[in-house]
Amino acid sequence: MTMNKFLPVTKKEMNQRGWQQPDFVYITGDAYVDHPSFGAAIITRVLEAKGFKVAVLSQPDWHSTADFVKFGKPRLAFLITSGNIDSMVAHYTVAKKKRSQDAYTAGGVIGKRPDRAVAVYSKLAKSAFPDVPVVIGGLEASLRRFAHYDYWDDCVKESILLESGANLLIFGMGENQIIEMAQRLDNGEKISELHDIKGTSYAVDVRETPYVGVECPSFDNVKNSKTEYAKASRIQQDEQDHIRGRVIKQKHGKMMVVQNPPMPPLTTEELDWVYSLDYARAYHPMYEKEGGVPGIQEVEFSITHNRGCFGACNFCSIAFHQGRFVTTRSKESIIEEAKKLTEMPNFKGYIHDIGGPTANFRKPSCEFQKEHGLCKGKKCLAPEPCKNLEADHSEYLDILRSVRSLPKVKKVFIRSGIRYDYLLEDRDETFFRELVSHHVSGQLKVAPEHCSAAVLDKMGKPHIEAYIEFSKRYFKYTGEINKEQYLVPYLMSSHPGSTLDDAIELALFLKKKHIRPEQVQDFYPTPGTISTTMYYTGLDPYTMQEVYCAKNPHDKALQRALLQYFNPKNKSLVEEALKKAKRFDLIGNGEKCLINAPQNNNYRSGGKKPENRGNKKKKGKRYEKR
């Protein structure tokens, strides 16, 4: 891979292109990977395609401004992102322990970006060139555009616009925002005049507050009142619709943070154009000596075919960032990208994914939303599918068939999440059967998350009956073709609403289904989600009813241990949890018992006498197998 396939990363490379000055310096907390699965690659290539000169400053040293002046003064603006994921999530586990690896850094090395990278980079860029506009975007900025609960500091922080000192914030998928902003700056407009671009947020003196839109509780109010925080959260979530969404305002002292309505999602034609740009589809050669960038391995031979997710789980940030409205690329565009993959020197015949936020969404969930937007305060699939839902996999199936028939393609897998509840609504079982026959790499990962109806309602997920029905049909179709394939369920412990009793219910479900998960994900309260609001406030923002939240590390450990009750290391925690819940009937040698009783102990008091039918040992799995 030659250097000139990439945008300049040094002043020397910039000068070799005949540039004396870049239009934009794009600063990212990730290593520089020019692949369309990386937001930095898309935004920089879009700007390049529109005729702008972009230099890439990847993982700069944040201890001084030296790296921030290496290209000289950008003509139009600094563009800043923390990278593909939030810098705090990149650095810390849910237990707030430092991670040992960073997949978006060469060699997986940790510590190449600062905590809260967007704010740190923005301040340094402002310090280096105070008169150059700073525009922030990407996931970290997008999810922090309002006052938000910060899990790592356990407090409510102000909008990242004010924390960073940036002039403009782009939220959501930013192609059209960045194009309009760049062209208007190029035409001589000042950054302070660009307050009418959809999909952006800005801050003004409260005396300049626009009259339109809706105002949510102020920073001071949400900081001092959890009820006010919950009210603000609901307003912010409800207005994230490009058709019916309104301007949202939030007062921060003498400043007013203003969010314009979301930018409409890219059309099929626009998406096709974005994915047709001349990506190198690789990490920059400068990382070769460190062994490359691990984050590209999963996506190098993957294709994104859609954006948006009307599933909108409460713990997921996609609805608040990307939106619920689903848009897709054309079949021709997808086929063209697949052909490019087959010509790459290290292609082995396997396309690892044709997916997106949810792999099997190829159209909006109903016709109504195309004119009126998605329903406010309702979900398309939970707690049960809407009667207006239109489930149709025919177009997606046609694409998969075409790609897998290409020369050099041995197999096409689907590794993005499959919404099995949506799949069950399709009366035509052809896609389901072909998914099992052609697109599973030995095991299919799906996300029931829990089995308790009360917990699933707080998650915004379908009830467990949908997973059970999906599982039955999955193994039925698998058996019919004489394949040995498995289901790997993603499970989450300690989500808001999950009590110790709910965790025990899930443990019993796993035992009954002979599922032994190797890993369990504790709920991670990241900014911008409904679930994080519940975690911080103890309130459901849509009902204002109280929600139990396990916050104490030991309480969370008890729930997590129950989901892996079979692990000898967890026995003492499981025993403690069962005693605390007065479930002595689950300690002993009965079929339903989760752990054996210690010798000479009697658990009849305070609970049912355990049934002693003999312990017929069944081989447990981390997955379901039939």
Side-chain angles (χ1 to χ4, degrees), residues 342-411:
T342 66
E343 298 304 319
M344 292 175 65
N346 51 342
F347 181 70
K348 306 296 184 185
Y350 300 98
I351 291 180
H352 296 153
D353 192 22
I354 298 180
T358 295
N360 54 323
F361 289 172
R362 263 308 281 183
K363 55 189 283 188
S365 54
C366 70
E367 287 295 315
F368 176 87
Q369 66 193 256
K370 294 179 180 178
E371 183 178 349
H372 303 282
L374 284 105
C375 297
K376 184 186 290 189
K378 296 181 180 179
K379 295 186 183 296
C380 302
L381 289 166
E384 56 189 25
C386 174
K387 66 181 187 306
N388 296 320
L389 181 73
E390 299 174 8
D392 181 4
H393 292 82
S394 57
E395 187 181 22
Y396 187 38
L397 180 57
D398 178 53
I399 290 167
L400 292 169
R401 285 172 172 172
S402 297
V403 174
R404 70 180 192 237
S405 68
L406 291 175
K408 300 183 182 179
V409 173
K410 297 177 183 177
K411 199 86 171 177

Side-chain angles (χ1 to χ4, degrees), residues 148-192:
H148 56 279
Y149 172 68
D150 184 275
Y151 171 67
W152 303 274
D153 282 352
D154 191 25
C155 68
V156 176
K157 291 186 177 289
E158 65 183 352
S159 165
I160 197 171
L161 254 175
L162 300 177
E163 180 191 8
S164 67
N167 300 94
L168 195 68
L169 182 154
I170 290 175
F171 66 90
M173 309 305 281
E175 292 96 342
N176 282 340
Q177 295 98 304
I178 209 84
I179 291 169
E180 182 176 348
M181 180 273 301
Q183 290 176 339
R184 289 173 63 176
L185 287 178
D186 193 40
N187 289 336
E189 290 188 60
K190 296 179 180 178
I191 194 75
S192 59

Side-chain angles (χ1 to χ4, degrees), residues 231-255:
K231 289 177 181 177
S233 174
R234 176 167 181 170
I235 291 170
Q236 293 157 15
Q237 295 286 340
D238 282 349
E239 300 301 329
Q240 297 313 309
D241 187 277
H242 71 281
I243 293 175
R244 56 168 179 76
R246 297 174 290 176
V247 167
I248 307 176
K249 299 167 284 189
Q250 187 177 50
K251 188 171 178 287
H252 285 61
K254 295 181 180 180
M255 300 296 289

